[in-house]
């Protein structure tokens, strides 16, 4: 078992090393699908999230052992890099990798829980009216993120947290689920494409396009931004509808044609 811990959290080593044995019985489930996230309240007052990644199939076990870093490893190091660039993610504490027969069989990522936050998901359907300040702040944040070379490959409604109540009256944003990221140059088209999954309200996208285009270091027209953002949003929705259609077909081929 490989365990990597941020030095200031070294005092938690005994508890962290016990996670593979205690995870199933302890904690409170926050999310349960392929991956499971649980929250643990520790005796020292810390509230900690532990994400258990789904056990990879044999092909991916080989990939993650010899050719690619594990999801837990990437979550940990991507979080550190986001902070280095001046942005916020859930604060990393540690990650664990477990090997069986010389191959990766499981991994865990441990981070501090973010208090007093909510998901940008709340604004998926709008309205824009009354939320202009938040949407403008998010567009400026996204522009700064992209100018810094940070590209979240899962920039989705549940992976962007909002923290209110700053003394300045502004909003701050926190990235979570950061294992799928790239640190690279983000051009105009790629930046606009990043918004595709976030909202269903075109008025919000038009507002984002106007602010985002003027907030990038390489300023471009709001008309171009809105056109690209809506193009990729509509493309994403079409692909999503096609996937749902295929799922219904394989679930009930006979009923599909009724």
């Amino acid at each position: 078992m490989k365990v990597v811990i941020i030095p200031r959290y070294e005092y938690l080593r005994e508890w962290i090393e016990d996670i593979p044995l205690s995870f199933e019985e302890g904690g409170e489930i926050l999310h349960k699908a392929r991956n499971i996230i649980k929250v643990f309240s520790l005796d020292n007052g810390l509230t900690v999230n532990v994400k258990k990644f789904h056990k990879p199939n044999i092909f991916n076990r080989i990939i993650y052992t010899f050719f690619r870093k594990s999801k837990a490893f990437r979550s940990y190091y991507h979080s550190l890099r986001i902070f280095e660039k001046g942005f916020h993610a859930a604060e990393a504490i540690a990650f664990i990798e477990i090997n069986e027969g010389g191959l990766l069989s499981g991994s865990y990522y441990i981070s501090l829980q973010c208090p007093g936050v909510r998901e940008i998901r709340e604004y998926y359907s709008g309205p824009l009216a009354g939320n202009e300040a938040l949407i403008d702040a998010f567009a400026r944040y996204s522009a700064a993120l992209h100018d810094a070379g940070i590209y979240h490959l899962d920039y989705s409604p549940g992976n962007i947290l909002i923290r209110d109540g700053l003394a300045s009256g502004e909003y701050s944003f926190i990235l979570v689920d950061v294992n799928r990221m790239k640190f690279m140059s983000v051009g105009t088209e790629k930046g606009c494409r990043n918004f595709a999954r976030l909202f269903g309200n075109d008025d919000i996208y038009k507002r984002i396009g106007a602010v985002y285009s003027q907030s990038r270091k390489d300023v471009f027209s709001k008309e171009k931004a809105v056109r690209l953002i809506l193009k990729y949003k509509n493309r994403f929705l079409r692909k999503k509808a096609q996937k749902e259609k295929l799922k219904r077909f394989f679930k009930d081929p006979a009923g599909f044609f009724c």
Side-chain angles (χ1 to χ4, degrees):
M1 182 171 74
K2 178 180 179 180
V3 179
V4 175
I5 303 174
I6 294 284
R8 65 179 170 276
Y9 293 113
E10 184 63 35
Y11 69 95
L12 294 175
R13 176 171 291 276
E14 185 177 351
W15 178 80
I16 290 169
E17 290 181 342
D18 191 53
I19 284 173
L21 297 176
S22 64
F23 183 83
E24 298 302 328
E25 300 300 325
E28 177 184 346
I29 293 175
L30 290 182
H31 174 80
K32 187 173 183 179
R34 281 176 59 83
N35 306 317
I36 302 172
I37 303 174
K38 284 188 171 185
V39 58
F40 292 80
S41 297
L42 306 187
D43 293 340
N44 58 13
L46 285 183
T47 303
V48 173
N49 288 343
V50 179
K51 184 171 186 177
K52 178 184 180 181
F53 289 98
H54 178 74
K55 183 175 181 177
N57 60 37
I58 185 61
F59 175 76
N60 283 332
R61 289 181 67 190
I62 295 170
I63 294 295
Y64 287 131
T65 301
F66 299 108
F67 303 105
R68 194 178 183 192
K69 302 299 185 183
S70 72
K71 293 180 179 180
F73 177 102
R74 284 181 278 142
S75 297
Y76 178 91
Y77 282 102
H78 288 173
S79 173
L80 298 183
R81 193 158 184 195
I82 289 166
F83 275 99
E84 286 173 359
K85 286 179 171 284
F87 298 87
H88 297 285
E91 185 178 344
I93 293 176
F95 75 90
I96 300 169
E97 293 177 343
I98 300 172
N99 279 28
E100 294 177 359
L103 299 176
L104 182 79
S105 62
S107 62
Y108 299 80
Y109 172 57
I110 302 97
S111 62
L112 285 185
Q113 189 181 51
C114 301
V117 296
R118 52 202 176 94
E119 296 178 352
I120 206 164
R121 183 194 307 278
E122 293 180 21
Y123 300 92
Y124 180 83
S125 300
L128 172 61
N131 295 312
E132 292 90 347
L134 170 66
I135 297 303
D136 290 357
F138 176 65
R140 291 192 296 269
Y141 164 78
S142 298
L145 203 69
H146 292 159
D147 281 337
I150 300 173
Y151 197 73
H152 199 317
L153 294 170
D154 194 5
Y155 209 48
S156 59
N159 289 340
I160 302 160
L161 307 182
I162 306 165
R163 177 170 285 152
D164 304 296
L166 298 181
S168 63
E170 265 287 356
Y171 299 91
S172 67
F173 301 92
I174 301 168
L175 295 176
V176 295
D177 200 7
V178 296
N179 77 87
R180 294 183 63 241
M181 300 194 72
K182 287 187 177 180
F183 296 88
M184 62 182 190
S185 176
V186 181
T188 297
E189 185 138 354
K190 187 171 284 293
C192 290
R193 184 176 186 173
N194 213 195
F195 294 102
R197 301 173 60 182
L198 286 168
F199 302 100
N201 184 311
D202 284 359
D203 288 337
I204 290 180
Y205 274 132
K206 291 173 184 177
R207 183 84 179 202
I208 286 175
V211 177
Y212 175 79
S213 62
Q214 301 304 298
S215 300
R216 291 295 305 263
K217 286 180 181 177
D218 294 326
V219 172
F220 59 103
S221 73
K222 67 178 183 181
E223 290 80 13
K224 181 178 181 180
V226 171
R227 176 176 58 80
L228 288 172
I229 289 171
L230 291 179
K231 179 182 86 169
Y232 285 113
K233 171 246 187 179
N234 291 328
R235 181 182 294 181
F236 167 74
L237 291 178
R238 284 195 302 271
K239 288 183 177 180
K240 184 179 179 182
Q242 290 169 355
K243 287 180 180 178
E244 291 299 322
K245 194 173 182 180
L246 282 173
K247 284 181 182 178
R248 292 198 304 273
F249 171 76
F250 285 112
K251 187 175 181 180
D252 183 14
F256 181 81
F257 296 102
C258 294

